[in-house]
Amino acid sequence: MQQVSSFQLDVLNEIGNIGAGNAATALSLLMGSPVDMTLPWTKFCPLEEGCALLSRPDEVGVGVQVGLDGSVTGRMLLTFDEASALHILLAFGDMLPEKDLDNEMARSALMEVGNIVAGSFVTALSEFLKASAWCSPPTLVHDYFDAFVCTVMVSGCQDTDYVLVFKTELQVGGKVLHSDLAFMPAEDSFRMIMNALGATGG
Amino acid sequence: MDHYVGIGELCVARAPSTIVTRGLGSCVGVVLHDINRSVGGLAHIMLPSSTDFTSYTNPHKFADLAIPAMHEQLLQLGGRNFKARIAGGAKMFATVSERAGFDVGVRNVERVRQVLRQLGIAIVNEDVGGSVGRTVTFEVSTGSVKVRSVGRGEQVL
């Protein structure tokens, strides 16, 4: 496993928070509801530990997966429990006639939320790296948390054995939602990011 | 006695006991069972091959290492003739951006079959592929393997 210093994680967390702030602004405009998003901490951990951090045994939830391409490749995953996903759909108001997690428009709306969060993160990261990177179209799954969390992490870890998990605090319309954010950079992208973040210090 | 197998873990036990693993997506649950000697095991496999990685922390998440390790532990528990049942290996996201040839669920199932063949263990029943998450409950005394999925109910392997 790679060595990552707490300094590097702090800088990455700061970049993530710039992205989260921009995502919150964009989401408020989209939904017409106040949105607040912060990432209190970032954790670098082996695959299984990452799965365990986002695990909710036997619980069904929603995951939006976004691929990253360009100078930074990898995947991001944004998760919501069902109640939080429904709350987001309600925040869209009249824009969404059907507030049902299996409705096509509702799914598109949640994918757009994932797209905005991942896109804001990638923009903040690529500005820091002075490189260009972008998101591929999002995909959504509504199933057991453990099933899709592990699937995305494993697929994202084709050449690595670790993930970055961002503790996520998301509020929509004043309500605190249960949501998590994970980032699985490809090995070469991970090295590039860590080099840009500065000395490892061990 | 109930045992829970986490992601990338395995567990072997004598009857009477139940071994459960939850939330298999692209991961594969592999059950080995010797009905005559009432021993069995369940592994929650995440990835097909340890040789794809230069370093790793836990060997039991790979099909090529977890299944032989579980087989060895079952031999030590007194098992001799094993049958296998497998579940999982789904494609959870219908995505066009998937790199060509990389569907980890399919690769996991292929590798599990290959490793079991090398060990001379037959797969007597399976519930693999599709796009659903699965939870597996294995009853060591009977060999019954229940697979539960969202919106698809329960089936017995």
Side-chain angles (χ1 to χ4, degrees):
Chain A
M1 197 166 100
Q2 304 273 329
Q3 289 294 311
V4 174
S5 70
S6 57
F7 173 76
Q8 287 172 315
L9 282 184
D10 285 349
V11 179
L12 192 59
N13 185 253
E14 196 45 51
I15 295 168
N17 270 306
I18 293 168
N22 293 339
T25 307
L27 290 173
S28 321
L29 288 170
L30 177 69
M31 294 188 238
S33 267
V35 175
D36 188 49
M37 185 174 185
T38 56
L39 308 173
W41 47 257
T42 302
K43 197 164 172 163
F44 174 76
C45 51
L47 193 52
E48 300 88 319
E49 205 180 315
C51 291
L53 275 172
L54 268 63
S55 161
R56 291 164 186 260
D58 288 336
E59 199 183 318
V60 174
V62 173
V64 181
Q65 168 188 240
V66 179
L68 311 185
D69 218 335
S71 305
V72 179
T73 57
R75 280 166 207 240
M76 297 198 76
L77 173 69
L78 183 67
T79 68
F80 305 102
D81 67 2
E82 283 190 318
S84 298
L86 284 169
H87 183 77
I88 289 173
L89 296 182
L90 288 172
F92 276 93
D94 296 339
M95 278 183 274
L96 277 180
E98 295 278 338
K99 274 91 173 166
D100 173 348
L101 291 177
D102 293 317
N103 173 269
E104 210 46 52
M105 262 182 82
R107 291 166 67 97
S108 295
L110 290 169
M111 283 193 265
E112 186 51 28
V113 170
N115 199 32
I116 286 170
V117 170
S120 305
F121 179 88
V122 172
T123 302
L125 187 62
S126 52
E127 276 172 10
F128 177 83
L129 296 171
K130 311 232 181 324
S132 71
W134 56 89
C135 295
S136 60
T139 49
L140 178 141
V141 67
H142 179 204
D143 206 310
Y144 290 124
F145 265 94
D146 290 17
F148 67 73
V149 162
C150 191
T151 299
V152 177
M153 289 198 177
V154 166
S155 310
C157 293
Q158 294 174 39
D159 51 5
T160 58
D161 191 28
Y162 45 79
V163 297
L164 288 154
V165 174
F166 296 90
K167 168 75 183 152
T168 305
E169 284 181 2
L170 178 63
Q171 281 190 40
V172 174
K175 185 179 155 78
V176 178
L177 303 188
H178 296 287
S179 178
D180 286 303
L181 181 66
F183 175 33
M184 286 69 65
E187 176 89 38
D188 51 349
S189 300
F190 180 76
R191 282 182 207 281
M192 180 182 77
I193 294 164
M194 288 302 147
N195 286 338
L197 292 180
T200 60
Chain B
M1 168 102 189
D2 280 2
H3 303 274
Y4 288 94
V5 178
I7 297 158
E9 293 178 358
L10 63 85
C11 171
V12 299
R14 287 196 175 88
S17 42
T18 304
I19 314 178
V20 179
T21 199
R22 297 172 172 130
L24 295 160
S26 61
C27 294
V28 179
V30 177
V31 167
L32 295 185
H33 185 232
D34 181 338
I35 191 150
N36 296 318
R37 294 166 187 86
S38 292
V39 295
L42 172 58
H44 184 132
I45 285 157
M46 304 171 83
L47 286 158
S49 178
S50 61
T51 55
D52 296 342
F53 293 79
T54 47
S55 69
Y56 47 84
T57 42
N58 163 24
H60 290 167
K61 67 181 161 206
F62 301 107
D64 64 329
L65 301 179
I67 298 171
M70 178 163 71
H71 183 238
E72 185 57 38
Q73 288 185 25
L74 285 167
L75 290 172
Q76 281 170 17
L77 265 188
R80 288 294 171 267
N81 292 308
F82 301 100
K83 299 285 184 222
R85 290 172 176 82
I86 64 175
K91 188 181 173 72
M92 299 300 293
F93 289 84
T95 166
V96 286
S97 65
E98 201 77 54
R99 277 193 223 172
F102 192 90
D103 181 336
V104 73
V106 169
R107 288 181 54 212
N108 276 337
V109 171
E110 279 172 5
R111 193 60 195 262
V112 163
R113 289 190 205 287
Q114 187 197 355
V115 174
L116 288 169
R117 209 179 307 123
Q118 284 162 356
L119 290 168
I121 300 171
I123 299 172
V124 292
N125 212 342
E126 62 180 39
D127 175 26
V128 297
S131 58
V132 292
R134 295 169 169 95
T135 284
V136 166
T137 305
F138 167 43
E139 202 76 55
V140 179
S141 50
T142 60
S144 129
V145 174
K146 287 182 184 140
V147 182
R148 192 156 43 86
S149 305
V150 176
R152 217 190 52 166
E154 188 175 87
Q155 54 178 337
V156 181
L157 298 184

